[in-house]
Amino acid sequence: MSGENVIEVRGLRTQFGSHVVHDGLDLDLRRGEILGVVGGSGTGKSVLLRTIVGLIRPPVGEIRVFGQDVNRLSGAARRAIERRWGVMFQDGALFSALTVRENVEVPLKAVPGLSDEDRARLAELKVSMAGLPWKANADYPADLSGGMRKRAGLARALALDPEIVFLDEPTAGLDPIGADAFDRLIVQLRDAMNLSVFLVTHDLDTLHVCCDRIAVLAEKKVLTTGTMAQMLKVDHAWVHEYFHGPRARAAMTSGRGEG
Amino acid sequence: MAAEDRRDPVLDVQERDGALSLSGELTVWTVSQLPRREWQRIELQGISRLDTAGALYLADRRGEGAQVDGLTEVQGQLLDAVASSIPKPDPAPDAAPLWRRVLETVGQQVMSGLRYFHELAEYLGRFLAALGRSFRHPSEFRLTSLVHHCQETGLRAIPIVTAMSFLIGVVLAFQGASQLRQFGAEVFVVDLIAIAVLRELGILLTAIVVAGRTASALTASIGSMKMREEIDAMRTLGIDVDMVLILPRVLALVITLPILGLVSDVAGLFGGAVMSWIELGISPSMFLTRLAEINVNHVIVGLVKAPVFAVIIGVVGCQAGMKVGKDAESLGAMTSSAVVSAIFAVIIADALFSVFFAQVNI
């Protein structure tokens, strides 16, 4: 695990009308790490994710991915960068007219020279790596449960073996067993594929099980970053409440018990 | 690593007596240039990047008995991870013989057709039961909702129905006049217009327009409630769905469609009269005199059909709305199928009415 930064956000400012979401936000994602981004509702966690992947264009600030300013890139260079990251949206955001396998095949269609059989086989491998059974390949998103849709979304995000994966609340709405399995899956895939993971979450268990570092969004910027142990020592009312509340204590004891 | 690497990934392939030696990037972008056959040995010499597609290729060859050398520790882990998650296809069910599949398809189609009629009958029954309940317990009846839907399906449809019927009257007068003039029987154009509009066209075309407008609206409104689980919520709260959703909508149609039919009749006759005056010189008073001689049965035959068409449109629309699943796609599919079914059912009903009235000589 090298210390190289794959994402560097500097001085980011985003706003909707007169409502400023971020102001002077700095954030780094290092190669091979799982970074958990937490914050209260409305602090712009998802907005930050959408800004980094280019769905929202910030008026001020610089976002460097693999050392290149993504908002200055155009055309081919930008597409080349986009192939090196994968995004999993909250509910999977699968294309409802396509089966799970066809969904995973969509990014693979950009690869020239790949035969239809190889593409299908690779897609099936990704579906299997995301922990879905064989019969899910032929299912449509509407036939799947919420947890399976998220796994299928992850399979599509991983289709081209990206170096960075963005996960938007991967465990929201899952039962504890499903959420736990998903946490382990993320760590497993990170280890196997050497991913850098940008993980937006509310789930304290996920933070304990998965994340190497945690970034806390508050007061329109990244208030603090560090490991779980460092978070526990931060002297800020909200951060203290978040990591020392009753839920946090429960998550911590169970996290230690397992780990 | 810079982005330029990715645009032109390079893989060096060398083959030597049963052994394959590779160097460069073994990724999804390069893997398709590799020969697909069995190897005894695969030597990796400085693979700078290996992804799951490359690992899958290696895992497949290893599964065929090839020996893979030269992996780094991380690459070995990836290869093992990929090899352990290669999906095993479920055994495919035995393919049935063709005659059996054909029979099966036909049977399923027939059954789904029968089921559809069954469901339409069910919703008709639910509408009638709710209607009966509202007579026994008038306090449960949603008058506000009924008025709202009367406005939506009735009042809002008046401009389009009027315009359409007026133009139909104009067309009939124009075409009828040019044919009847050959026999010097221009004055019978009034009979032609009156009977065609009053007996058939006025109400049939109105019903088709309303089927397009309202059946789709019914399906969309009930379907989106179904999609967001509002209907389940109503049931758990003890709200009678038939009373709240189906009764006001279908009843509004039953009330407004005859009125729309009447409006359509008047507009059609007016259009015919205007055109007869311009084209044939039949003055409005003469038109009215001829019109008064038309048997009033034609009007009755026309308007009697209206409530039946209304129930058909309403029941088809509500049934389709209740069939909507959880995804937006089924909402779209059910909406368009509701419109098609409603129009088709209205035309079939009209044909049955024609046969019936011909038999009883009205």
Side-chain angles (χ1 to χ4, degrees), chain A residues 68 80 83-84 96-97 108 110-113 118 121-122 124-126 128-129 134-135 142 160-161 163 192-193, chain B residues 1-3 6-7 28-29 32 36 49 51-53 56 60 77-78 81-82 85-90 327 329:
Chain A
Q68 300 179 68
R83 280 179 194 158
R84 296 171 70 182
S96 57
L108 290 169
V111 181
D118 284 352
R121 187 127 191 285
L122 258 177
E124 284 158 9
L125 174 71
K126 292 285 153 57
S128 153
M129 285 178 88
W134 170 264
K135 72 178 255 313
L160 283 175
D161 279 65
E163 289 158 63
M193 296 164 72
Chain B
M1 194 191 291
R6 181 52 59 92
R7 264 177 273 157
V28 67
W29 305 92
S32 50
R36 300 276 141 141
R49 197 177 139 76
D51 74 356
T52 43
L56 180 62
D60 283 347
Q77 281 168 7
L78 177 62
V82 167
S85 50
I86 289 178
K88 289 169 196 67
D90 292 344
D327 51 332
E329 202 152 85

Side-chain angles (χ1 to χ4, degrees), chain B residues 171-232:
Chain B
V171 169
L172 276 179
F174 196 69
Q175 294 296 329
S178 62
Q179 295 298 320
L180 291 173
R181 192 178 283 138
Q182 296 171 14
F183 312 104
E186 289 101 321
V187 80
F188 284 103
V189 81
V190 182
D191 300 66
L192 170 73
I193 295 166
I195 294 175
V197 168
L198 295 179
R199 201 181 169 98
E200 285 292 337
L201 292 180
I203 192 62
L204 180 63
L205 292 174
T206 306
I208 289 174
V209 167
V210 170
R213 264 186 102 247
T214 308
S216 58
L218 287 185
T219 309
S221 72
I222 293 180
S224 60
M225 287 187 199
K226 183 88 194 302
M227 229 165 75
R228 290 193 298 253
E229 299 182 328
E230 283 175 49
I231 288 173
D232 297 339

